[in-house]
């Protein structure tokens, strides 16, 4: 019998995280009966002590807000992908006690887009300017051959997005949120804003929309995603992102590949339907 291995998702608040559902589904499909995956309410102040308490049974951690940047000084090494956006959502705990940080949100976004047939675009729009928006820019830096327009609410946010563009090597133009309906003229729009923020934009979806990537998964579908699909546009949702980034986490933490994408998605859909 194999030894017990442990993993978990940390953050605050954490009660509604779907990560345990996804990772446990993967363990069942992979036959990893001795693996466990839990959730722990941990904020920035409590994070150092939590990490110090981990023993050799621990294989890895998933991190959500507000820990993605707070964890970086506590790690031995972070990947270039994580360094590019100063955010870690995955920590692999090695047999020799090292803590390795990575960001699977960015390749998870790319995988979710590829699944819908989006491999390259000539331009794109981003709605919002928070942490997810910087990850969106990092993903677009790999597939967008032209300019990205970010629609934001303040000059400070505009400056941040242009700064991320310079750092990531992608041309970013900023525009006022009041003009956000113009975002839909691009072949790809990534919405990174909180629930309800884009509802008023649903009426502006064009007759022939391109692809919408709405990073929300609850509530789902959003008003914008519903309107987009009704016009025949392709929609990528937050559950797609969550599942694809979790697939990469499972592979890194367990060393097993490929992780069972279909089983993880089915489990996530069932959990959301039951809420």
């Amino acid at each position: 019998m194999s030894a017990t291995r442990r993993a978990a998702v940390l953050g605050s608040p954490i009660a509604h995280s779907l990560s345990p559902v996804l990772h446990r589904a993967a363990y069942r499909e992979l036959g990893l009966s001795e693996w466990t995956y839990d959730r722990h309410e941990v904020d920035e102040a409590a994070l150092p002590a939590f990490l110090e308490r981990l023993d050799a049974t621990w294989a890895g951690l998933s991190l959500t807000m507000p820990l993605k940047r707070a964890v970086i000084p506590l790690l031995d090494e972070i990947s270039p992908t994580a360094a590019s956006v100063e955010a870690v959502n995955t920590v692999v705990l090695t047999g020799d006690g090292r803590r390795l940080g990575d960001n699977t949100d960015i390749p998870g976004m790319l995988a979710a887009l590829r699944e819908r047939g989006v491999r390259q675009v000539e331009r794109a729009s981003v709605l919002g300017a928070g942490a997810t928006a910087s990850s969106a820019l990092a993903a677009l830096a790999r597939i967008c051959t032209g300019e990205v327009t970010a629609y934001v609410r303040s000059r400070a946010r505009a400056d941040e997005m242009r700064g991320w563009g310079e750092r990531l090597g992608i041309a970013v133009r900023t525009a006022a949120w009041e003009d956000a309906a113009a975002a839909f003229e691009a072949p790809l729009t990534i919405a990174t804003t909180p629930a309800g923020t884009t509802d008023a934009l649903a009426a502006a979806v064009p007759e022939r929309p391109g692809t919408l990537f709405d990073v929300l998964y609850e509530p789902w579908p959003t008003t914008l995603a519903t309107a987009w699909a009704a016009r025949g546009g392709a929609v990528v949702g937050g559950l797609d992102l969550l599942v694809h980034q979790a697939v990469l986490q499972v592979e890194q933490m367990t060393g097993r590949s490929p992780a069972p994408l279909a089983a993880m998605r089915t489990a996530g859909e069932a959990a959301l339907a039951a809420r």
Side-chain angles (χ1 to χ4, degrees):
M1 182 179 293
S2 60
T4 298
R5 300 305 311 276
R6 302 176 68 187
V9 59
L10 315 181
S12 182
I14 201 65
H16 293 286
S17 172
L18 276 182
S19 291
V21 171
L22 303 181
H23 284 251
R24 290 169 186 169
Y27 298 165
R28 287 193 298 271
E29 195 75 10
L30 293 170
L32 299 175
S33 59
E34 300 300 314
W35 282 68
T36 66
Y37 190 102
D38 299 301
R39 60 169 69 88
H40 295 275
E41 183 82 16
V42 178
D43 61 15
E44 299 104 315
L47 182 60
F50 186 94
L51 292 178
E52 287 302 318
R53 291 195 299 269
L54 302 182
D55 60 24
T57 65
W58 283 83
L61 302 169
S62 307
L63 302 178
T64 186
M65 299 304 292
L67 304 179
K68 293 184 178 184
R69 289 185 179 165
V71 75
I72 292 176
L74 307 174
L75 302 177
D76 295 294
E77 183 181 331
I78 66 172
S79 69
T81 300
S84 72
V85 290
E86 298 178 354
V88 166
N89 78 326
T90 307
V91 177
V92 174
L93 304 165
T94 68
D96 59 1
R98 288 167 55 79
R99 304 170 184 162
L100 309 180
D102 194 14
N103 185 308
T104 64
D105 287 330
I106 295 165
M109 281 186 175
L110 293 170
L113 286 167
R114 283 197 303 271
E115 192 175 37
R116 296 297 193 278
V118 180
R119 295 179 176 275
Q120 187 176 83
V121 291
E122 63 270 21
R123 57 195 176 94
S125 301
V126 174
L127 302 177
T132 305
S134 61
S135 291
L137 286 182
L140 289 171
R142 305 184 187 189
I143 64 169
C144 185
T145 58
E147 186 176 68
V148 175
T149 303
Y151 293 84
V152 300
R153 293 189 181 277
S154 70
R155 180 175 296 178
R157 289 294 201 180
D159 290 343
E160 287 179 16
M161 289 297 279
R162 286 194 295 269
W164 279 115
E166 291 176 9
R167 176 171 181 163
L168 294 164
I170 186 168
V172 175
R173 181 178 73 87
T174 56
W177 183 260
E178 290 73 21
D179 299 324
F184 305 152
E185 297 169 7
L188 172 62
T189 299
I190 304 181
T192 70
T193 51
T197 307
T198 62
D199 287 0
L201 296 173
V205 176
E207 287 292 332
R208 294 184 177 181
T211 298
L212 171 69
F213 193 157
D214 194 326
V215 303
L216 292 172
Y217 65 85
E218 193 175 22
W220 186 262
T222 63
T223 300
L224 179 59
T226 298
W228 202 277
R231 295 283 194 183
V235 176
V236 186
L239 183 61
D240 298 311
L241 169 59
L242 194 63
V243 170
H244 277 286
Q245 64 83 27
V247 160
L248 298 170
Q249 289 184 335
V250 168
E251 291 174 352
Q252 289 192 31
M253 293 178 192
T254 68
R256 300 281 293 275
S257 181
L261 172 68
M264 294 168 71
R265 176 178 275 128
T266 298
E269 290 172 343
L272 287 176
R275 289 185 175 180

